[in-house]
Amino acid sequence: MRCPLLYRFRVIDRLPEKPSEAATRGTLVHAVLERLFDVPARERTAPWAKSLIPAQWDRLRESRPEVSELFEGDPEGERLARWLGEAERLVERWFALEDPTRLEPAERELFVETELESGLRLRGIIDRVDVAPTGEVRIVDYKTGKAPRPEYAEDALFQMKFYALVVWRLKRVVPRRLQLVYLGSGDVLTYDPVPADLERVERKLLALWAAIREATESGVWRPRPTKLCGWCDHQAVCPEFGGTPPPYPLSVRAAESGAGDVGRMGPV
């Protein structure tokens, strides 16, 4: 949705991307908040949660050695200390937004998968699922950045509606609430979906998948410039920055009459 060419680089070409401090910090904070619920409710305190950070950072480096590159050239460890300190502040802020002593998640880091009637398979990982005694379901996602401005809230909620659609198709239950917890700004965004919302998301996903199949077969993956381009790892091979994409690795169908090769990102 953000950029068709970026999708190609990531999914088809599988070009490597460097780890970023922000994304890696998000992974670390998510791991801490997941592990927090391993202990009894009375032990779920902010100091205890922050004490989990060093061990989770070690585990992250073991599973993804490339993240250690983030702090190369930092012999005194000053940058790493600041980075870990920011992770501590994000974890501590969460305690001002939710009370873990009153939560008993039904699921954490839940992998969900379903297949629509069209044959399209949907997959995702949900940060947390809460189930009330009455059976109502709440889907919760942690964000370590800041909450978007109101005019961009719908884009932020799309991911949550995607999860809700998968749960609905799997369990035949529409989640009662979708909740985004923004640790960077201390905001909580909630939305209560209805079936019509999720049906619209399903139609959008089907249209998106049709566009992906068309681009896969034609080899036409156009860049979509936005303000986020400045953070893209693939500027060197993006036409928007004067680059040339690598040869397209898939076979391409013959162009339709009159269509020409406009927008083709690589040779046949």
Side-chain angles (χ1 to χ4, degrees), residues 120-247:
L120 178 60
R121 187 173 296 275
L122 307 179
R123 301 184 182 95
I125 298 178
I126 302 173
D127 286 348
R128 198 179 87 217
V129 178
D130 300 332
V131 179
T134 55
E136 295 174 314
V137 174
R138 177 172 64 181
I139 295 175
V140 181
D141 195 72
Y142 308 121
K143 300 294 184 185
T144 49
K146 296 181 180 179
R149 296 201 300 264
E151 60 266 34
Y152 298 114
E154 185 60 31
D155 290 342
L157 282 169
F158 180 80
Q159 173 192 3
M160 303 301 286
K161 292 180 180 179
F162 176 97
Y163 293 152
L165 171 63
V166 176
V167 171
W168 184 33
R169 293 306 187 207
L170 272 176
K171 304 294 185 181
R172 302 300 173 187
V173 173
V174 175
R176 175 68 178 83
R177 173 153 294 181
L178 310 178
Q179 182 167 302
L180 282 161
V181 181
Y182 287 95
L183 304 177
S185 57
D187 296 297
V188 177
L189 176 63
T190 62
Y191 185 82
D192 297 341
V194 296
D197 290 329
L198 307 186
E199 289 168 351
R200 283 192 291 270
V201 171
E202 184 168 341
R203 290 194 295 270
K204 185 172 184 176
L205 290 172
L206 293 174
L208 181 61
W209 183 242
I212 289 172
R213 293 184 64 179
E214 167 67 23
T216 302
E217 295 172 3
S218 68
V220 178
W221 298 89
R222 294 184 174 88
R224 183 176 298 153
T226 69
K227 294 179 180 179
L228 296 174
C229 288
W231 285 272
C232 183
D233 280 341
H234 309 300
Q235 293 181 14
V237 290
C238 178
E240 290 296 317
F241 292 87
T244 300

Side-chain angles (χ1 to χ4, degrees), residues 1-211:
M1 289 170 59
R2 184 199 307 173
C3 175
L5 184 57
L6 177 61
Y7 180 93
R8 181 204 139 168
F9 288 158
R10 285 178 168 172
V11 178
I12 296 177
D13 298 293
R14 299 188 179 183
L15 300 182
E17 296 183 346
K18 295 178 294 186
S20 72
E21 289 190 15
T24 304
R25 183 167 49 233
T27 301
L28 175 61
V29 170
H30 275 72
V32 170
L33 296 183
E34 181 188 3
R35 295 275 71 82
L36 176 71
F37 292 98
D38 288 344
V39 299
R42 65 180 180 278
E43 298 178 22
R44 299 170 193 163
T45 65
W48 188 82
K50 290 190 291 184
S51 75
L52 297 174
I53 290 177
Q56 292 303 315
W57 171 232
D58 289 341
R59 289 185 61 186
L60 183 57
R61 286 187 297 170
E62 290 175 6
S63 62
R64 295 175 52 192
E66 68 274 13
V67 301
S68 296
E69 300 172 8
L70 291 169
F71 302 103
E72 289 182 349
D74 181 32
E76 304 299 324
E78 294 179 358
R79 283 180 46 230
L80 175 58
R82 287 195 298 270
W83 183 83
L84 291 172
E86 179 58 27
E88 287 188 358
R89 286 187 286 275
L90 292 172
V91 169
E92 188 167 25
R93 185 172 292 149
W94 178 70
F95 283 80
L97 303 174
E98 296 191 283
D99 181 358
T101 66
R102 303 179 63 184
L103 295 171
E104 291 297 341
E107 301 286 352
R108 291 171 276 154
E109 294 294 314
L110 174 66
F111 175 80
V112 290
E113 179 178 20
T114 192
E115 186 173 303
L116 304 180
E117 290 183 1
S118 65
L120 178 60
R121 187 173 296 275
L122 307 179
R123 301 184 182 95
I125 298 178
I126 302 173
D127 286 348
R128 198 179 87 217
V129 178
D130 300 332
V131 179
T134 55
E136 295 174 314
V137 174
R138 177 172 64 181
I139 295 175
V140 181
D141 195 72
Y142 308 121
K143 300 294 184 185
T144 49
K146 296 181 180 179
R149 296 201 300 264
E151 60 266 34
Y152 298 114
E154 185 60 31
D155 290 342
L157 282 169
F158 180 80
Q159 173 192 3
M160 303 301 286
K161 292 180 180 179
F162 176 97
Y163 293 152
L165 171 63
V166 176
V167 171
W168 184 33
R169 293 306 187 207
L170 272 176
K171 304 294 185 181
R172 302 300 173 187
V173 173
V174 175
R176 175 68 178 83
R177 173 153 294 181
L178 310 178
Q179 182 167 302
L180 282 161
V181 181
Y182 287 95
L183 304 177
S185 57
D187 296 297
V188 177
L189 176 63
T190 62
Y191 185 82
D192 297 341
V194 296
D197 290 329
L198 307 186
E199 289 168 351
R200 283 192 291 270
V201 171
E202 184 168 341
R203 290 194 295 270
K204 185 172 184 176
L205 290 172
L206 293 174
L208 181 61
W209 183 242

